[in-house]
Amino acid sequence: MAASQDAGKVRRMQPHWAPPTGTQVPRLKLYNSLTRQKEVFIPQCGNKVAWYSCGPTVYDASHMGHARSYISFDILRRVLHDYFNYDVLYVMNITDIDDKIIKRARQSHLLESYASNGKSHSELLQDVAQAMQVFTKKMETEEDADKRTMQQSIAEKVKQVVCELNVAIEEGRPEDAIQATRKRLLEVACDPLGEWLDAALSATVTDNSIFNKLPRFWEGEFHKDMTALNVLPADCLTRVSEYCPEIVEYVQKIIDNGFAYESNGSVYFTTDMFDRSSGHSYAKLVPEAYGDSKELLGGEGDLCITEDRLSEKRSPNDFALWKASKPGEPAWDSPWGKGRPGWHIECSVMASSICGESIDIHTGGFDLKFPHHDNELAQAEAYFGNDHWVRYFLHTGHLTIAGCKMSKSLKNFITIKEALQQYSARQLRLAFLLHSWKDTLDYSSNTMELAIQYERSVNEFFLTVKDIVRSTPSSGVEAFSKWNDAEKDLDAKFHERRSAIHEALCDSVDTRTTMDHLRELVSAGNVYIRGRREGKQPPNRALLKGIAVYITHMLKIFGAIESEDPIGFPLTTEGSQNLEETVMPYLTAFADFREGVRKVAREQKVVAILEQCDSVRDEVLPNLGVRLEDVEGQVATLKLVDKETLLREKETKRQEEEKKRLEKERRKQEQLDAQAAREAQKRMPPWDLFRSEKDKYSAFDDKGMPTHDVTGKELPKSATKKLAKLYQQQEKKYNDYLKSVDSNQKENAST
């Protein structure tokens, strides 16, 4: 009995505990082009993510359209790996066999040979004329308005240089001048002349090495551009030229499975049969484009849009898996004869070779949806016999140039190298981060100015926090200060922004919203610092450092910061030494010495020394990339900023001061003019007050008062009354003036 009572007592003494309800943490969702909505991201193999990305077709310089895709993919990849901690295998291909590459390589080879064959000036002019006849006919039938405008521009340039060369020859100008004009003609006429030579001589090109030389060069340039943009290299890089045996085997199996057929040495995929078969559907990404002959032809390549090629197909909807090689084209052995891979098959084969029968993520540009990616899906699912070769398809949005479509074929593209001459890689990345990865992005001066302003405001916050961290104890009792309401409010905002950022990144990696939250966090930090300094209290070092470290960490995840520094954008010397760590101790010692000198100068009122201290701050240090800010009653703030930025700030400040000076002088002159007008008004006799206003009055009485308006009509009594009042006021001013003159005369006479 006693034992049971004791047990009950123990139970009554045990406290009640229940877990907190809390909130549900959001899960990562990605916008899936296959479903056209956001889907919860669930990899197929635990934490591992198999990711295949369509790489470039390397026949020319990489442009901002490439930057749009590959920077966006790089951001997505970094977020999945570094923020969500997925184990990502990132595979990217290089298309080094393609109709564009074959044509460009062949034409470049033929143009080089033509330029060195010693043709006379008249022969060159005759050949260019024939090439332009063909080019003009093509231009007249071009349906695309943008392309036609580009072709017209080429034709005008060729016409102009042809005229210049004829004039130079007729006038007998020096041979070096004629040769310079001739060289320029070959440059401006390279497209029409290359097409003309290719049409006549393509079959004579038998050296297959030229088809390897061109893509290898441009692939190297592409990798250099990606490195300059801080885009991480792929974990696995595949080239079409290295996978031709696998492509042949892949195509054979598709034939064996009943979804492809051989025709005249080429192999075509039968889309109708695939679409009708159980468990399959064609054009999953863009079903409304099924049967779009223009898009389908565009995917086949220029060299295959010929009557004999098109007649080989059983249906216009079928597309090439393997193309029989014609003379002047590279070729590989196959059961169907010498040939080369179709464009779409390469990605299916290479992605399957590395990632297997089902890929977690497949990425590419928006313009690749149809037919390229839809054809990829059909080929792979015909090969594996499944209906889920890709789980999540992610497509980046278009890039426009100042609102206009950008295209290599239109020759209005900006190369990555050209963009990097005007903006830094970080600024370009910030511009992309400030937009959704799946929406159209307009590359313009306005877009880049927003990115530059964002960089400037965040960098200024970093510099301020660094100065606070340097100027306060880092350890010991003094390192910890009491949190008051200001600190608690800032910490609450810090937590709110972090939660909001996590939610935004879970929402299909919404970097635009994320960057807004980071900006708000910077603003909250600046408001807190300003409030503390106005109250002459030191800001809390640990709290601000935590915020700055977090913002830095997020920008590192996004690839906008490359260094290992815990706070801010790096400043490095040529030897990659941390400039801040190297010079800041010396700058701090100098600033402390300067503050001591200023204190003595103020106490002893030595103005010249104070002026010298200001001169060092305003004239000397900015030229060294140092901003020193004097804060009343506190230690001066030191910030390392690039020299160009400081000099621009200095010039802006000078212009603003000059503007203020001119405005001050203008107001002063207005006051003087008004004073002079008032003085002149006093000296006017009242009988002359209205006589000059001939546009208002036509008759006056003997006192100078108006009696009739300009039309000759007698003035009403109400108007006469108002004028009489003005007359009396002027009469008083004039009498006062006369009295002052009389008084001055008497005073002068007495002296």
Side-chain angles (χ1 to χ4, degrees):
M1 182 68 177
S4 63
Q5 289 178 344
D6 291 341
K9 185 177 181 181
V10 170
R11 284 196 297 272
R12 287 194 299 273
M13 293 175 61
Q14 288 177 338
H16 173 72
W17 183 89
T21 55
T23 55
Q24 186 175 356
V25 178
R27 297 177 64 186
L28 172 62
K29 290 184 177 182
L30 295 175
Y31 183 86
N32 190 352
S33 296
L34 284 165
T35 62
R36 302 190 183 187
Q37 64 183 16
K38 296 170 187 175
E39 307 285 0
V40 175
F41 180 61
I42 305 173
Q44 299 173 92
C45 299
N47 203 48
K48 183 179 179 181
V49 176
W51 185 333
Y52 180 82
S53 182
C54 275
T57 300
V58 283
Y59 69 99
D60 205 340
S62 302
H63 52 71
M64 285 303 295
H66 292 115
R68 168 58 168 153
S69 291
Y70 298 117
I71 290 178
S72 296
F73 297 154
D74 187 64
I75 293 167
L76 290 169
R77 176 186 176 189
R78 288 171 183 266
V79 170
L80 261 66
H81 183 272
D82 297 335
Y83 187 85
F84 290 105
N85 299 314
Y86 286 110
D87 180 11
V88 178
L89 172 65
Y90 188 79
V91 184
M92 186 180 75
N93 79 298
I94 296 291
T95 297
D96 59 354
I97 303 173
D98 178 80
D99 287 35
K100 293 186 181 73
I101 293 172
I102 294 170
K103 284 187 67 175
R104 180 66 61 86
R106 206 164 58 196
Q107 290 180 15
S108 297
H109 171 73
L110 292 171
L111 282 167
E112 286 176 10
S113 299
Y114 182 86
S116 61
N117 67 4
K119 286 214 171 191
S120 66
H121 302 324
S122 60
E123 288 175 322
L124 170 61
L125 288 167
Q126 184 178 359
D127 289 345
V128 169
Q130 291 185 33
M132 289 307 298
Q133 285 180 359
V134 177
F135 186 77
T136 301
K137 287 181 180 178
K138 180 181 177 181
M139 180 174 65
E140 290 171 350
T141 59
E142 179 58 60
E143 296 180 358
D144 188 311
D146 292 331
K147 285 187 179 180
R148 189 166 58 254
T149 300
M150 178 270 292
Q151 291 166 348
Q152 289 170 346
S153 175
I154 292 174
E156 286 297 323
K157 290 178 182 177
V158 172
K159 183 179 179 181
Q160 179 182 346
V161 181
V162 164
C163 181
E164 291 175 8
L165 182 57
N166 277 316
V167 170
I169 295 170
E170 291 171 2
E171 293 182 352
R173 293 179 185 175
E175 186 60 24
D176 57 347
I178 294 176
Q179 288 294 336
T181 308
R182 176 190 174 109
K183 181 180 178 182
R184 194 147 52 85
L185 177 58
L186 287 169
E187 290 174 353
V188 299
C190 64
D191 284 352
L193 192 58
E195 288 277 358
W196 181 70
L197 290 170
D198 193 49
L201 304 172
S202 61
T204 65
V205 180
T206 57
D207 183 4
N208 277 355
S209 66
I210 72 161
F211 301 113
N212 181 58
K213 179 182 176 182
L214 179 82
R216 278 299 169 131
F217 171 79
W218 287 116
E219 182 191 336
E221 293 301 298
F222 170 78
H223 292 312
K224 291 176 185 176
D225 288 339
M226 294 301 103
T227 299
L229 292 173
N230 193 31
V231 171
L232 296 172
D235 297 315
C236 176
L237 187 78
T238 62
R239 298 182 183 90
V240 185
S241 60
E242 298 170 347
Y243 277 79
C244 284
E246 289 89 343
I247 290 173
V248 169
E249 292 177 7
Y250 205 94
V251 171
Q252 183 60 59
K253 186 175 179 182
I254 295 175
I255 294 174
D256 295 341
N257 289 347
F259 295 112
Y261 57 92
E262 184 269 340
S263 179
N264 293 335
S266 296
V267 179
Y268 295 95
F269 189 89
T270 173
T271 57
D272 295 339
M273 185 175 293
F274 177 80
D275 192 53
R276 291 196 306 267
S277 64
S278 177
H280 293 305
S281 62
Y282 177 67
K284 287 182 175 181
L285 289 165
V286 195
E288 59 269 27
Y290 189 103
D292 187 330
S293 58
K294 184 177 180 180
E295 290 295 331
L296 287 166
L297 283 176
E300 291 294 81
D302 292 345
L303 298 178
C304 295
I305 306 177
T306 59
E307 288 186 13
D308 58 329
R309 288 285 198 187
L310 296 176
S311 65
E312 295 172 352
K313 298 182 180 183
R314 295 176 183 173
S315 167
N317 294 332
D318 297 347
F319 58 87
L321 301 178
W322 185 262
K323 302 175 180 180
S325 291
K326 295 180 179 180
E329 297 178 3
W332 286 262
D333 291 327
S334 80
W336 320 287
K338 293 281 188 180
R340 55 192 176 87
W343 176 33
H344 318 296
I345 193 66
E346 64 182 66
C347 289
S348 296
V349 174
M350 293 185 289
S352 299
S353 176
I354 304 300
C355 301
E357 66 179 32
S358 188
I359 304 167
D360 291 303
I361 295 176
H362 192 323
T363 48
F366 183 88
D367 56 329
L368 296 179
K369 281 186 177 183
F370 186 88
H372 185 54
H373 286 159
D374 270 325
N375 288 356
E376 276 188 51
L377 284 165
Q379 293 162 162
E381 291 173 0
Y383 177 88
F384 288 111
N386 63 20
D387 191 41
H388 52 263
W389 184 59
V390 173
R391 300 288 184 168
Y392 300 84
F393 238 125
L394 313 183
H395 289 94
T396 55
H398 286 301
L399 181 125
T400 57
I401 302 294
C404 299
K405 176 185 174 184
M406 189 198 70
S407 169
K408 274 189 176 181
S409 62
L410 299 181
K411 298 184 181 296
N412 71 334
F413 63 93
I414 297 173
T415 67
I416 290 172
K417 286 183 174 61
E418 289 169 342
L420 287 173
Q421 290 174 359
Q422 191 171 5
Y423 305 108
S424 70
R426 180 191 303 138
Q427 289 165 350
L428 292 173
R429 186 171 289 250
L430 288 173
F432 291 176
L433 285 164
L434 289 166
H435 293 77
S436 169
W437 56 267
K438 69 180 185 65
D439 294 340
T440 297
L441 185 147
D442 186 51
Y443 179 76
S444 64
S445 57
N446 290 337
T447 300
M448 293 310 303
E449 183 57 32
L450 291 174
I452 292 169
Q453 289 176 3
Y454 192 99
E455 179 189 44
R456 187 181 298 127
S457 64
V458 174
N459 187 47
E460 196 61 36
F461 176 71
F462 284 149
L463 294 173
T464 301
V465 173
K466 283 182 179 181
D467 181 75
I468 291 169
V469 170
R470 281 193 305 268
S471 60
T472 55
S474 60
S475 61
V477 176
E478 293 82 3
F480 300 95
S481 57
K482 179 183 177 181
W483 277 28
N484 295 310
D485 288 342
E487 285 73 28
K488 288 185 281 187
D489 288 345
L490 180 58
D491 183 64
K493 290 176 183 176
F494 185 18
H495 173 74
E496 290 170 2
R497 292 308 102 203
R498 280 182 293 177
S499 297
I501 285 169
H502 179 72
E503 186 174 341
L505 292 178
C506 286
D507 185 17
S508 197
V509 192
D510 182 359
T511 59
R512 178 176 180 173
T513 301
T514 297
M515 297 296 280
D516 287 343
H517 290 314
L518 289 176
R519 183 194 285 115
E520 290 169 9
L521 194 51
V522 167
S523 178
N526 287 332
V527 169
Y528 166 76
I529 293 168
R530 188 161 54 249
R532 275 291 182 236
R533 285 178 169 170
E534 288 174 356
K536 301 195 182 304
Q537 294 178 331
N540 188 285
R541 175 188 192 275
L543 180 55
L544 287 171
K545 181 179 179 181
I547 293 173
V549 166
Y550 171 77
I551 295 173
T552 303
H553 173 66
M554 292 307 302
L555 292 176
K556 284 180 181 178
I557 287 175
F558 294 151
I561 294 179
E562 301 176 56
S563 75
E564 296 301 319
D565 298 346
I567 296 178
F569 302 127
L571 284 169
T572 57
T573 59
E574 290 184 3
S576 297
Q577 185 178 8
N578 189 300
L579 183 63
E580 198 164 21
E581 290 182 0
T582 304
V583 305
M584 197 53 74
Y586 302 98
L587 288 174
T588 302
F590 167 76
D592 291 343
F593 171 76
R594 174 180 171 277
E595 185 57 33
V597 170
R598 291 177 75 232
K599 182 179 179 182
V600 173
R602 282 195 298 267
E603 290 173 351
Q604 303 201 10
K605 299 181 180 179
V606 186
V607 176
I609 293 180
L610 289 172
E611 290 175 348
Q612 284 297 314
C613 289
D614 289 346
S615 177
V616 168
R617 178 195 64 202
D618 299 334
E619 305 297 332
V620 179
L621 292 180
N623 286 285
L624 300 175
V626 179
R627 184 193 292 144
L628 190 150
E629 300 171 350
D630 289 318
V631 183
E632 187 64 32
Q634 298 180 40
V635 178
T637 298
L638 278 171
K639 298 175 181 178
L640 285 185
V641 186
D642 64 279
K643 177 181 174 181
E644 289 73 20
T645 298
L646 289 176
L647 293 180
R648 282 197 300 270
E649 289 178 357
K650 180 180 173 182
E651 176 60 20
T652 300
K653 183 179 179 181
R654 185 196 66 76
Q655 291 176 358
E656 289 177 352
E657 289 177 349
E658 178 65 11
K659 185 178 178 181
K660 289 179 181 178
R661 185 188 68 79
L662 292 174
E663 179 63 19
K664 185 178 179 180
E665 288 185 357
R666 185 188 65 79
R667 289 198 301 267
K668 184 178 179 181
Q669 187 60 47
E670 284 182 351
Q671 291 173 354
L672 292 173
D673 292 344
Q675 179 65 28
R678 288 193 294 271
E679 291 298 325
Q681 180 75 14
K682 291 179 182 179
R683 294 192 292 270
M684 180 182 290
W687 50 86
D688 289 339
L689 181 62
F690 303 112
R691 290 188 184 278
S692 61
E693 298 180 355
K694 303 288 185 169
D695 58 331
K696 294 181 180 180
Y697 313 111
S698 60
F700 304 87
D701 63 13
D702 56 354
K703 292 176 58 179
M705 280 287 293
T707 58
H708 295 74
D709 65 17
V710 70
T711 64
K713 185 179 179 180
E714 187 176 355
L715 293 176
K717 289 184 178 180
S718 58
T720 303
K721 188 175 181 181
K722 290 179 181 179
L723 294 174
K725 188 174 182 180
L726 293 174
Y727 187 96
Q728 292 169 3
Q729 291 174 352
Q730 182 61 29
E731 188 175 35
K732 182 178 184 306
K733 291 177 184 177
Y734 183 68
N735 290 334
D736 290 342
Y737 164 71
L738 293 177
K739 288 178 182 178
S740 65
V741 171
D742 184 55
S743 176
N744 289 335
Q745 289 176 348
K746 289 180 179 179
E747 186 176 339
N748 292 334
S750 63
T751 57

